Every structure is written in C-alpha cells, then in structure tokens.
Amino acid sequence: MGFASSDLAAAAERVARKAETVADELNVQDGKLGDGDLGITVSKGWREAASVDLPDDLGRAFLELSKAFQRVSPSSYGTLVATGLMAAAKATKGRKEAGWDEIGPILVQARDAMMARGKGELGQKSVLDMVDALAAAADGLDTPAPLLKAIDTAATECLDAFRDKPNGLGRARMFGEKSIGLDDPGMLAARRMIDGLLDR
Amino acid sequence: MKKILNNPADYVDEMLDGMIAAHPDIYAQPSPRVVSRAGGATQGKVGIVTGGGSGHLPIFTGYVGKGLLDAAAIGDVFASPSAEQMAESMRQAHGGAGVLRLYGNYGGDVMNFDMAGETVELEDDIASTTVLLADDVVSAPPEEAEKRRGVAGMVYAFKIAGAKAEEMADLETVTAVAQKTADACRSIGMALTPCTVPQAGKPTFELGENEMEMGMGIHGEPGIWRDALKQADAITDEMIERLTADMPLASGDHVSILVNSLGATPPEELYIMYRRAKARLEGAGVSIVSPLVGRYATSMEMTGATVTLCKLDDEMEALLKAPCHCAYWTVG
C-alpha cells in the first residue's frame, strides 16, 4: 500500500490549515532577514493548492499543486515549492499510486531540482538544507508512521544544526553575521508544514 | 506621486486593456497578463515568447507582432509574471514547432520561466529553449558576464530571432541566432531623474538637482559613479568607450546602435547623443547599420538614456533589415 491522489488532497488541506495559523509568525521571521512576506507566500500558496480538485493520476495531481503555487506565489520561495512539487509530478507521472518508500528518492529529486532552480548549494542555511535532511531521514522507510516520525525529528535537528550559522543564499545572505542565531525563514516554513502534516 | 492613473492596483491591467484596444489588429489578450498576436500562433513556425515586469514599454508586450515575438507574459510594474502566466504565453505562441523563451536575466523571471518551460513540457508536450539577454556591461565584470542584467539589447534579439523564426527555421536554429545576437549586444545606461512605481508611490532613487548617475540600471540599480551633470558629448563618449572596452570593435565592423530614452528624455536629446556616437564609431572605421533612436526600452518617466551596440554578421544584418510590424516598430 502506498499513497494516492486522495491522500495528497488531504495532506494539502492539513498543511493549508496550518499555514493560515503560522502566517504571522513566518512574516515576522522573514522580516528579520528579508521583506517579511513569507507567511503570505506560504499561506496563499497552500490555500490555492488545497482548493484544487486533484485528478487521480498522481503525477497530474502533484502538477496541479505545483501550478497552484505558480499561480499565486511568484516569489522565489513559492517558485521553489512549485519546483519541488514538479519534481514529484515527474517521478509519479502516469501512476495512481506511489510507495511510501518513494518519498525519500522523490525528496532527493526535489532537492536537486530546487538547487538548480534557486542556484543554491547545501550548507547555505536555506530550505534546500531542510529538504536534504528530510530526504536522508525518509530514505529506506516504507510505512507512513515511522516516515513521518523520522522527518519530524530531522526537521527539528536541521533547524538546530543551522541556527548558529550565517545565511549564505538569497536576500538573507546580505545580513551575514546578523543572521547567526536566527532560524532561516524558509526552513522554518518547511518545519511548520510538517507540523501541519502531523496535525499538530 | 504625480501620475495619470485610476487605482494604482489597476495600473497594469488598464494599460494592457488600452494597448490592445488601440491596436486590435496587432495584439490580443487571450488570458489576463498574456498578450499574443491578434491572429494567434503561426502553424509550423517556432514561437518566441518573452516576459517580465511592466513599466518598460515598448518592452515587453509591445514587441509582439509579425517578424518579432509571438506572445509575452507581463507582471506588475518591475515584478516577474507568474510561472502560470509564462506557461500560458508559451501555449499561445506554440505553433507545433516549439518555443524559444527570450528575455532578460533577472532572478525571478528566470526561475518562473524555467518553471513554465517544465510545466508545458510535462502537460502539453511543448519543446522549448531559453536565451537570456545579459547586455548591461555595468552590472557585472566581463569574467562574470553571465550575471549581467538584460536591458535594451533585448530589442535586437527580438528583431533578429523573430525574423529567423519567420523564415520557418527550426527551434535549434532560431535559438542559435538569438544566442548569437544576445552575445553581440552591449548596453549601458545613465539617469538624471527617477521613476515611481505606482503601487509603491515613492521614487526608486534620489539624485541631486544637477547630478547624473552613470551606469544606472533600468530599475534604478546603482551605477558606477554619481556626479555633476556633464555635457552630452562627454556623456556619450564615456558610454561608447565603456561599451567598446567590453566588446572591442575593429575598422570595417558592422554595428547597429540603439540610443534609447528611459522614458522622459526627449528625442531631441537622443539625437544630440546619436550625433556624437556616430562620429565616434565612424571615426574608428565602424559602419553603422539600421540605427535606432527613440523609446524602445523605458522605465516609465525616468529621465536618462541607454546606448546599445549590436555587432552584426551578414546573417544578423539581413535579419535586422527584414520586415516586421508592431505598434512601436515597423520595418519594410
């Protein structure tokens, strides 16, 4: 048993609900290192994604989620999320179901596509590091409960590991040493999305 | 802010409505913020699309037309269109022979257009390629030329690649000609007064009453120096010298030159600059082909000018002289 388009729709709904409640927190965090609109990007994007009727084809369903982000969030973070979803669309194209053990490899593909699109590297304290950590955590796991638990732990550890490093990518890079001690807003947004998946 | 507008939030959409209403034989708007040719895509022809923020007319949408572009996606003033709008522009431009994305090197535009390319490949089986304009010599040193911003050189790329596509060349060939043109363009700007983004309501930068800034970008990005306003010949000399230092010209070379107003600078002043530029280039034995003087790539009401040189080979020269028609530029 794996996951299907209906699981994806349910997950998008949970994440969208969470995104709504954390929009202010993300705006404030983003305001310390950027232009302070990340909460808007994330909440608008997921609200749109959750409102789409997803087709049964899993690849098409991921593509619809990606397009929802493209539609309402042309900011760089919105485009990165859309890029990750697009990678998942390519990996699952033409199938009604995918195995839980595919989440790890899909996250690797998403990470690589996001790195190429954002012209970023690992270690620069960005959402790319978070996706990398989640991919590693998901590797080899083929049932949902242990998988979610592993990515939950990995997300927390990733934030902890990078908090005291300077940002090296995007607008946050300009803040240099001042970014030390602050959570990267994009990583934090991913953490909150995982909270949403866990209905926390 | 002193602008002729209604609600600042409607600035772009009302502008597009008016532009299409004024030129219904040239433009159509098949979906919001996507402008195509009035007659749609030409079957069997490579489609060429562009996209970027509003506030630069005739760039981007203005150059949709026969012998030029097939479609354009347009964002808010100085902001990228969405990937969804870019994808739709590609669908509108697709005549079965693939689509070239031809636009300026700005981070948001690049991310969204790449995304759009993947979307239409996955969803509509449209093959596409990208050529980025990175002609502003001030925006990065030669060793990092790929980081440069795209400015008025785009006009040459639209024209030359557009003419090649009109010959029904394939996607690979049109892309190669567009890339050759992009590589042959160098531009530099200078500004006297700023412009105001309607939804921001404040000028993009401040300059003293008698000051100018050399090398300023079309969104007010910082230039090389800021000092007392110089005379036209001295300004033009410096611009030509900086361009030819970056792209050396030899006696006998054929070059087209675009002396472009950033919006508020009148043709009179552009001609004063052109006069000097021509003397300098011809003094070095360079032949000027199809010179362009006027408003081709603007920043709304910014005062200032850009100078672009496009070094031509025989193929590019013939394509530059081939017929084209849009509301802002007609050849033949």
Side-chain angles (χ1 to χ4, degrees):
Chain A
M1 274 293 284
F3 62 99
S5 171
S6 55
D7 299 309
L8 211 53
E13 176 60 40
R14 288 203 299 276
V15 173
R17 256 198 322 267
K18 184 70 188 178
E20 216 68 56
T21 66
V22 298
D24 286 344
E25 177 197 10
L26 295 176
N27 283 340
V28 168
Q29 191 66 20
D30 187 39
K32 294 175 190 169
L33 294 171
D35 49 8
D37 63 357
L38 183 64
I40 299 169
T41 293
V42 170
S43 60
K44 264 176 74 176
W46 283 108
R47 190 188 313 142
E48 180 76 8
S51 72
V52 178
D53 276 335
L54 297 184
D56 286 343
D57 180 319
L58 200 50
R60 290 265 166 187
F62 271 118
L63 180 61
E64 287 302 325
L65 295 181
S66 172
K67 284 167 64 184
F69 260 87
Q70 295 176 41
R71 206 152 42 235
V72 298
S73 297
S75 71
S76 54
Y77 192 82
T79 304
L80 282 182
V81 174
T83 300
L85 291 166
M86 178 78 83
K90 285 182 185 170
T92 54
K93 191 178 176 181
R95 291 194 284 149
K96 293 220 157 113
E97 197 179 282
W100 293 104
D101 60 343
E102 290 182 65
I103 298 270
I106 287 173
L107 283 168
V108 169
Q109 288 169 39
R111 176 200 69 195
D112 292 348
M114 291 163 77
M115 284 172 67
R117 178 122 319 129
K119 300 194 170 48
E121 288 164 20
L122 296 178
Q124 293 175 315
K125 191 177 172 181
S126 77
V127 69
L128 302 173
D129 294 302
M130 179 63 90
V131 179
D132 182 59
L134 301 181
D139 188 42
L141 298 177
D142 57 5
T143 45
L147 183 73
L148 276 172
K149 188 165 187 300
I151 63 171
D152 184 28
T153 306
T156 303
E157 288 175 356
C158 186
L159 278 172
D160 290 346
F162 279 93
R163 191 168 297 123
D164 291 328
K165 294 179 180 170
N167 275 88
L169 187 64
R171 197 178 289 123
R173 182 171 59 91
M174 308 297 177
F175 289 80
E177 301 291 305
K178 286 185 196 150
S179 63
I180 290 176
L182 296 175
D183 283 334
D184 173 68
M187 287 168 90
L188 184 65
R191 155 82 272 178
R192 293 292 172 254
M193 299 310 96
I194 293 165
D195 288 340
L197 280 178
L198 289 162
D199 250 338
R200 191 177 282 156
Chain B
M1 177 171 63
K2 216 169 173 186
K3 279 181 185 284
I4 301 170
L5 47 70
N6 297 308
N7 184 341
D10 298 330
Y11 187 81
V12 173
D13 293 307
E14 292 184 352
M15 172 276 288
L16 286 176
D17 285 351
M19 189 179 120
I20 285 148
H23 308 286
D25 55 324
I26 302 172
Y27 308 114
Q29 189 173 200
S31 70
R33 305 286 182 98
V34 174
V35 170
S36 68
R37 292 191 192 179
T42 307
Q43 280 311 305
K45 186 183 89 66
V46 169
I48 305 180
V49 298
T50 194
S54 292
H56 302 302
L57 276 178
I59 289 220
F60 294 86
T61 37
Y63 294 111
V64 170
K66 192 164 173 58
L68 297 160
L69 305 169
D70 293 272
I74 194 84
D76 283 333
V77 173
F78 296 176
S80 174
S82 71
E84 177 93 352
Q85 289 158 346
M86 288 166 159
E88 186 54 28
S89 74
M90 294 177 70
R91 291 184 196 105
Q92 292 296 333
H94 184 50
V99 175
L100 165 64
R101 301 185 293 263
L102 184 55
Y103 60 102
N105 187 27
Y106 293 90
D109 293 331
V110 173
M111 285 177 77
N112 286 322
F113 244 140
D114 283 353
M115 190 82 226
E118 283 190 37
T119 303
V120 298
E121 187 189 332
L122 205 59
E123 211 170 32
D124 310 90
D125 268 331
I126 298 175
S128 61
T129 54
T130 294
V131 171
L132 293 176
L133 267 294
D135 52 314
D136 184 343
V137 297
V138 169
S139 53
E143 58 274 17
E144 293 182 309
E146 77 286 352
K147 291 188 181 169
R148 288 177 174 173
R149 300 180 294 256
V151 285
M154 243 178 280
V155 172
Y156 285 111
F158 295 165
K159 175 70 186 77
I160 291 171
K164 194 71 195 174
E166 221 68 52
E167 292 178 353
M168 305 306 263
D170 64 17
L171 181 59
E172 192 185 340
T173 308
V174 173
T175 304
V177 165
Q179 188 64 58
K180 182 167 69 169
T181 308
D183 293 342
C185 286
R186 299 289 187 283
S187 300
I188 186 169
M190 55 80 61
L192 305 178
T193 66
C195 62
T196 295
V197 176
Q199 284 187 279
K202 287 195 210 100
T204 48
F205 57 88
E206 283 177 25
L207 258 180
E209 178 58 29
N210 292 310
E211 278 186 324
M212 62 170 281
E213 182 156 334
M214 176 60 75
M216 181 166 269
I218 56 170
H219 306 99
E221 294 95 338
I224 316 166
W225 57 260
R226 177 180 283 212
D227 206 343
L229 178 58
K230 295 187 183 179
Q231 291 205 321
D233 286 357
I235 293 169
T236 309
D237 283 350
E238 179 171 348
M239 293 170 92
I240 293 289
E241 281 159 17
R242 288 187 182 275
L243 294 176
T244 52
D246 203 87
M247 181 176 67
L249 298 175
S251 180
D253 279 347
H254 285 206
V255 166
S256 186
I257 175 170
L258 164 57
V259 180
N260 168 60
S261 168
L262 283 169
T265 292
E268 284 84 348
E269 292 168 33
L270 300 179
Y271 284 125
I272 292 170
M273 292 178 76
Y274 178 72
R275 166 188 164 276
R276 180 67 171 192
K278 180 175 189 287
R280 286 295 301 258
L281 291 169
E282 291 185 345
V286 170
S287 295
I288 296 179
V289 177
S290 305
L292 305 171
V293 180
R295 282 193 189 95
Y296 287 81
T298 67
S299 280
M300 295 181 294
E301 73 280 20
M302 196 188 286
T303 313
T306 66
V307 176
T308 300
L309 296 178
C310 179
K311 192 169 159 182
L312 302 165
D313 64 14
D314 291 345
E315 180 186 35
M316 290 156 71
E317 185 168 335
L319 293 167
L320 183 59
K321 291 175 175 172
C324 74
H325 179 55
C326 71
Y328 305 88
W329 192 10
T330 296
V331 177

